[in-house]
Amino acid sequence: MRKSYRVKKESEFQRVFETHNSVANHKFVVYQMEKPGQKHFRVGISVGKKIGNAVHRNWVKRRIRQTLLEVKPQLRTDVDFLVIARPAADGLSMAETKKNLVHVLQRAHLLDEKSED
């Protein structure tokens, strides 16, 4: 994903956390913050050390990024959101990752209604 689509700075992460607007399932947690007038969404991805070593964490992040690229047309544009992987996300196949991430994004109302698969 291009840099303009990323939440990178610690202060930006904290601003989203401080909204206390989160939705979760067993595999992922999504924090979101409304940003009216923004041209496109911005996302931050966090995978903690409970997932495993760096290889496993990067593997999980790649799958999250790929899922977000696939659902990008349905994502709302006026939000910054964070995707945090829980330890249960380690070892998921691509299909399971997409299913669980789409589920939590729908619960957070970040996907348009037309995204029903």
Side-chain angles (χ1 to χ4, degrees):
M1 225 173 277
R2 292 173 31 197
K3 282 188 179 184
S4 62
Y5 283 87
R6 295 187 215 154
V7 175
K8 293 290 281 183
K9 296 180 182 175
E10 176 68 21
S11 61
E12 294 172 341
F13 265 82
Q14 289 305 318
R15 216 173 304 131
V16 177
F17 276 125
E18 289 168 1
T19 62
H20 302 291
N21 190 1
S22 67
V23 176
N25 64 10
H26 293 294
K27 312 291 187 209
F28 300 101
V29 180
V30 172
Y31 286 86
Q32 61 181 326
M33 181 176 75
E34 302 286 327
K35 301 258 317 234
Q38 188 166 263
K39 292 182 182 180
H40 53 75
F41 68 89
R42 294 189 324 149
V43 63
I45 299 172
S46 177
V47 180
K49 289 188 176 182
K50 289 183 180 180
I51 298 286
N53 62 17
V55 173
H56 288 283
R57 292 193 300 270
N58 287 330
W59 185 79
V60 171
K61 283 189 269 189
R62 281 196 306 269
R63 290 180 183 264
I64 292 170
R65 272 194 229 93
Q66 182 60 38
T67 298
L68 291 173
L69 281 173
E70 291 175 8
V71 298
K72 184 178 171 182
Q74 292 92 29
L75 283 168
R76 288 180 40 204
T77 59
D78 61 342
V79 293
D80 283 357
F81 65 97
L82 307 177
V83 177
I84 300 169
R86 289 184 163 172
D90 187 20
L92 292 178
S93 69
M94 184 62 206
E96 291 170 323
T97 301
K98 183 174 182 179
K99 177 183 162 199
N100 282 288
L101 192 53
V102 167
H103 173 256
V104 77
L105 290 172
Q106 286 174 336
R107 287 190 65 205
H109 304 290
L110 292 175
L111 291 178
D112 292 338
E113 299 300 319
K114 63 185 175 189
S115 66
E116 303 291 325
D117 294 276

